[in-house]
């Protein structure tokens, strides 16, 4: 199947999953448990939506592999592996805040070739296939051409570990007086898609998992953005964690240098 075919399958599955997410966002009766820390939640909807996505993808392509935030892990034999975040931005989802999203990427032999991010509460669907550009709700999108850090609107996010957050706060304190402003949406996939469509000039975040960035990074790069790491490592989908930087080409070097100066580590 071509990258466009994989994107279209992801689009159909993520659209159905996004409707489930929208129907339960902010519901008072969500069953919530925690993962890495007391502030790292998972709901029964994360698990149900992951199961729905995996069964739909494997019904269409039974030999594929899957990797999901909520535990799906199957190697597959076709060379295609789906990387799934059933609800990226689970805290936003719990509170009913737009930005919580369904993120699905397809990697072929470790390279992401298709990505879809559905943000149902904003009514945004971002999609990309490698070499074919990126769209929001079917319309082509491009990143901004901002080059001046002082005029750059920069998104970021914070992990769940308090020790990590202390370090992230120090980096943020270094950045804040040197950029236009900072935004914290609560979902990495949306930050990357917002770089893609010009709602942010740049984005960085420490220690993202592949399911957080795989789909959004392809959307951003297909919209003309540079997506990399602070330490300039490559971005295979199998990388367990990565500190991601994304922006239009003119801003990328200055933003990465600023993060280096702020003590952000690869
Ligand atoms: C979220 C990320 C976000 C980060 C949050 C959280 P989750 O993913 O997308 O960028 O700042 O702390 O990790 O856990 O909601 O799928």
């Amino acid at each position: 199947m071509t990258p466009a075919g994989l994107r279209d399958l992801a689009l159909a599955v993520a659209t159905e999953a996004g409707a489930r997410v929208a129907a339960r966002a902010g519901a008072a009766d969500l069953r919530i448990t925690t993962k890495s820390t007391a502030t790292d939640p998972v709901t029964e909807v994360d698990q149900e939506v992951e199961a729905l996505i995996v069964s739909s993808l494997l019904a269409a392509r039974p030999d594929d592999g899957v990797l999901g935030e909520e535990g799906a892990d199957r190697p597959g034999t076709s060379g295609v592996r789906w990387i799934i975040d059933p609800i990226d931005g689970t805290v936003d989802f719990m509170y009913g805040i737009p930005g919580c999203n369904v993120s699905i990427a397809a990697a072929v032999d470790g390279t992401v070739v298709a990505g879809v991010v559905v943000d149902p509460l904003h009514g945004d669907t971002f999609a990309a296939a490698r070499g074919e550009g990126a769209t929001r709700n079917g319309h082509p999108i491009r990143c901004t051409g901002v080059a001046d850090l002082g005029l750059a609107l920069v998104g970021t996010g914070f992990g769940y570990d308090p020790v990590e957050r202390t370090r992230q706060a120090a980096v943020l304190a270094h950045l804040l007086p040197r950029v236009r402003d900072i935004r914290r949406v609560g979902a990495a996939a949306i930050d990357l898609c917002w770089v893609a469509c010009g709602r942010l000039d740049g984005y960085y975040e420490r220690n993202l998992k592949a399911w957080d960035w795989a789909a959004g990074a392809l959307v951003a790069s297909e919209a003309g953005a540079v997506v990399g790491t602070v330490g300039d490592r490559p971005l295979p989908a199998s990388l367990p964690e990565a500190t991601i930087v994304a922006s239009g080409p003119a801003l990328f070097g200055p933003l990465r240098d600023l993060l280096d100066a702020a003590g952000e580590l690869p």
Side-chain angles (χ1 to χ4, degrees):
M1 192 178 262
T2 62
L6 294 168
R7 175 202 58 204
D8 292 346
L9 174 57
L11 196 52
V13 173
T15 300
E16 186 186 354
R20 298 269 188 114
V21 170
R24 297 283 288 141
D29 62 345
L30 290 172
R31 285 197 305 279
I32 300 164
T33 52
T34 58
K35 297 194 288 188
S36 61
T37 72
T39 56
D40 179 6
V42 59
T43 72
E44 88 274 15
V45 185
D46 296 69
Q47 291 155 342
E48 286 166 16
V49 171
E50 180 161 303
L52 168 77
I53 293 169
V54 169
S55 67
S56 302
L57 292 172
L58 294 184
R61 297 182 49 87
D63 298 329
D64 289 354
V66 292
L67 175 69
E69 180 178 20
E70 307 313 334
D73 193 0
R74 173 185 199 266
T77 55
S78 67
V80 174
R81 187 171 62 146
W82 297 95
I83 302 161
I84 301 156
D85 196 339
I87 304 180
D88 176 45
T90 300
V91 174
D92 287 348
F93 170 72
M94 284 163 47
Y95 285 79
I97 297 172
C100 52
N101 66 89
V102 176
S103 174
I104 302 178
V108 175
D109 298 327
T111 299
V112 178
V113 300
V116 172
V117 176
V118 173
D119 171 357
L121 300 183
H122 278 122
D124 282 336
T125 294
F126 296 91
R130 186 166 291 275
E132 308 223 3
T135 57
R136 180 176 73 87
N137 297 339
H139 302 289
I141 49 176
R142 292 302 286 174
C143 63
T144 70
V146 167
D148 182 347
L149 266 176
L151 298 178
L153 186 61
V154 177
T156 190
F158 310 115
Y160 293 112
D161 173 18
V163 174
E164 200 56 56
R165 285 184 172 195
T166 303
R167 192 166 18 207
Q168 289 175 319
V171 171
L172 187 65
H174 187 87
L175 257 66
L176 191 53
R178 295 174 172 84
V179 298
R180 181 191 291 277
D181 209 342
I182 294 285
R183 293 289 180 270
R184 193 315 191 225
V185 174
I190 290 303
D191 286 310
L192 286 160
C193 290
W194 283 13
V195 169
C197 73
R199 291 178 183 162
L200 293 173
D201 298 305
Y203 164 68
Y204 73 96
E205 186 166 349
R206 188 179 174 76
N207 290 349
L208 290 178
K209 304 287 197 303
W211 47 75
D212 293 315
W213 60 260
L218 183 70
V219 172
S221 60
E222 285 295 322
V226 180
V227 183
T229 66
V230 174
D232 209 13
R233 292 187 301 168
L235 289 174
S238 56
L239 201 66
E241 288 190 336
T243 297
I244 299 282
V245 186
S247 72
L251 191 68
F252 189 79
L255 180 57
R256 193 158 67 175
D257 289 349
L258 182 62
L259 289 164
D260 272 337
E264 187 60 278
L265 301 171

